[in-house]
Amino acid sequence: MMRITLIAVGLLLAVLLPLAIPWLNFVFIMAVAQGFAALGVVLLLRAGMISIGHAVFLASGAYVTAFLLRQTGITDLGLILLVATLGSGLFGFLIGMFMVRYRAIFFAMLNMAVSMVVFALLAKLYHLTGGTDGVRVATPTVLGAVLDRTVFDSLLLYISLALLVAVGWLVHRYLSSPLGKALEAVHTNEVRLEYLGVSAWGVLLYAYTISAALAGLGGALAAIAVGHVVPELAYWTHSGQLVLIAVLGGIGGVVGPFIGALFFEIVRVVAAGYAAYTWNMIVGLALLGVIFFLPNGLYGLVQRLLKRGGGS
Amino acid sequence: MTEPILRVENLHVNFGGIRAADDVNVDVHPGERLAIIGPNGSGKTTFLNLCTGYVKPDSGHVYLEGNSITRLTPRTIARRGIARSFQIPQLFTDKTLVENIMLGVAARRGIWDVLRPLNRPDYRREAERFIELVGLQESTEKLAGELPEGTRKLADIAIALTLKPRLLLLDEPTSGVSARERFALMETLIPALREEDVTAVFVEHDMDLVRRYAERVLVWDSGRVIAAGPPDTVLQDPQVLQNVVGV
């Protein structure tokens, strides 16, 4: 009960705070967007697999969004988010069929290799992708209505938060399901899982596809919020950032990556104003703190505080 | 004579020149409790690995109820009805015993259910029945990784039983268990196998257990079956006594 109350208070703050501090609107949307991508990384981490290339699916969601708006005449926000998510999921499924055969460092490096190939293609195929200049993303329509950008940005935040709740609930259900538990079992004992007649490959491919779709959704939200997509979205350091956010937030639950992403975005924005060249150091120190003192991430800290407060 | 549940024909496998299976021919009959004995490195575990698809033979065939399973994967063979336990118990150590067993139940009933929780009443009821079957009720909510060895052995067998196999292969079910606890473990295990109507093949080093619980014994040496028959007869064989029992 305490946990639900906390989530409700958090969501309420996320809705109300930007009304008082407008620049937080963008920060919160980006936190949700990055949080979705980091949640994708978390799914794989639960199976003991680290992807240092997952930003490629965030980039695919962002570029699908840009192409839909620029070249197909599809401008509806809901349809764009849906197509970008499904498109990235399909991309993840195709890449995943090959990728989930590998484990440990091979999995991590192969993901990075694929992301760097895609990064190079996005940068080099100028006529198609705009090269290093990227592609501008127009403001989508909402149920046929063309909205003023300020109104649209506020609406985008509410939609992002609604998606966070809906998709987060679905992922939570998935992680509690037999398939979600089998995903953890890949990490603990893949041999036993196979001897139970369960295909570890299938379990991982399912997770990989979902994780790509989540990253794609995050990419679409980020593209619409920023209004521009560039190849750097697929660059391997961005993938590393997603792993960092996932570890910062904690991989134990669905909320963790979003807490990590919010922390990351706030540090980045605040530090940009007061200590432009040290924000990476602040994030690095925070990560060290989490690794040494909070093995379950910031979410673990919240859980610990809740327990101390008598919550469930 | 009924058709064998498992038939192994002319099985050969070499590991870098070492013959781990050398023209092995074995029939296992439904309802039987067959013990495999032999010195370390004689190919007993390799035989189980060959029957479950973990090792592929160089030549020869393995049939389950008349159908070839020689080239199938462990996963497919498990689905066809052969389950196994391991010398080192293979559990999901970060989960409780009941979660381990529920995962086994889910594996049989359908793992691809993504919106309903694993911990649901019907799965839990069935898991608790398996836990009761092997007498581990007190450990239901304990982490599998923290269970004592004898309990882990039984848990490993219980998770294999969740597949409702027709044939269960047990690799040294009492190894690592104190001499006093071995009989208690077998006294729990044998009725459980009978209740589940499971044919069992078990690799064992304790000859007292073999005499008491096996209906037939295969004696392994250097990848070959050197003797087979009822325990009382086989364990009197001078060659077996000298090479295997060490008397």
Side-chain angles (χ1 to χ4, degrees), chain B residues 29-43:
Chain B
H29 297 283
E32 194 173 27
R33 288 196 303 277
L34 176 68
I36 296 178
I37 62 172
N40 287 330
S42 60

Side-chain angles (χ1 to χ4, degrees), chain B:
Chain B
M1 188 63 119
T2 53
E3 188 191 351
I5 189 168
L6 184 80
R7 168 161 283 173
V8 173
E9 283 181 357
N10 313 114
L11 216 56
H12 289 84
V13 70
N14 277 278
F15 297 131
I18 296 168
R19 289 176 182 173
D22 184 11
D23 197 25
V24 172
N25 291 278
V26 172
D27 279 356
V28 181
H29 297 283
E32 194 173 27
R33 288 196 303 277
L34 176 68
I36 296 178
I37 62 172
N40 287 330
S42 60
K44 304 183 297 294
T45 298
T46 300
F47 175 69
L48 300 194
N49 287 339
L50 284 161
C51 293
T52 53
Y54 193 70
V55 171
K56 304 291 178 220
D58 299 333
S59 63
H61 297 280
V62 183
Y63 298 97
L64 176 66
E65 295 176 327
N67 301 308
S68 176
I69 55 167
T70 317
R71 300 280 156 194
L72 300 183
T73 60
R75 183 174 73 244
T76 315
I77 291 174
R79 285 201 204 120
R80 296 261 179 113
I82 299 183
R84 76 172 286 184
S85 71
F86 296 81
Q87 201 172 337
I88 299 167
Q90 297 294 322
L91 301 170
F92 305 114
T93 48
D94 62 334
K95 297 190 177 358
T96 61
L97 174 62
V98 72
E99 284 173 333
N100 269 266
I101 308 297
M102 281 195 291
L103 200 49
V105 171
R108 191 188 79 242
R109 290 208 199 174
I111 200 84
W112 301 100
D113 185 351
V114 290
L115 289 180
R116 288 192 299 161
L118 173 70
N119 191 356
R120 67 183 78 160
D122 52 339
Y123 281 17
R124 179 168 269 272
R125 262 197 308 276
E126 190 174 342
E128 283 171 350
R129 190 182 74 76
F130 281 112
I131 291 171
E132 200 181 325
L133 194 69
V134 293
L136 298 182
Q137 296 93 316
E138 285 182 9
S139 304
T140 303
E141 299 299 340
K142 290 183 182 158
L143 275 181
E146 295 172 0
L147 297 173
E149 185 66 9
T151 309
R152 283 157 54 83
K153 286 277 187 188
L154 283 170
D156 195 35
I157 293 164
I159 197 169
L161 285 173
T162 60
L163 293 180
K164 292 191 181 285
R166 291 191 292 289
L167 176 63
L168 179 62
L169 308 179
L170 303 140
D171 196 355
E172 300 193 21
T174 64
S175 70
V177 179
S178 70
R180 207 178 53 173
E181 287 175 326
R182 282 179 192 170
F183 278 93
L185 188 149
M186 291 302 280
E187 285 297 325
T188 307
L189 175 61
I190 298 298
L193 296 175
R194 207 172 286 135
E195 190 173 329
E196 292 299 300
D197 195 20
V198 179
T199 304
V201 174
F202 59 101
V203 172
E204 188 53 69
H205 284 288
D206 187 324
M207 295 308 135
D208 292 334
L209 292 179
V210 171
R211 274 193 198 91
R212 185 153 173 182
Y213 297 106
E215 291 164 351
R216 194 157 63 95
V217 184
L218 296 182
V219 185
W220 231 260
D221 195 18
S222 304
R224 297 180 69 94
V225 178
I226 60 165
D232 290 340
T233 313
V234 169
L235 295 178
Q236 300 296 327
D237 184 328
Q239 192 194 354
V240 173
L241 287 173
Q242 188 184 343
N243 292 351
V244 180
V245 184
V247 178

Side-chain angles (χ1 to χ4, degrees), chain A residues 3 5 15 53 61 80 88 92 96 111 124 170 174 195 227 248:
Chain A
R3 189 177 299 168
T5 310
V15 170
I80 286 168
S88 295
N111 272 282
K124 298 292 179 191
L170 285 173
Y174 161 55
Y195 272 99
L248 262 180

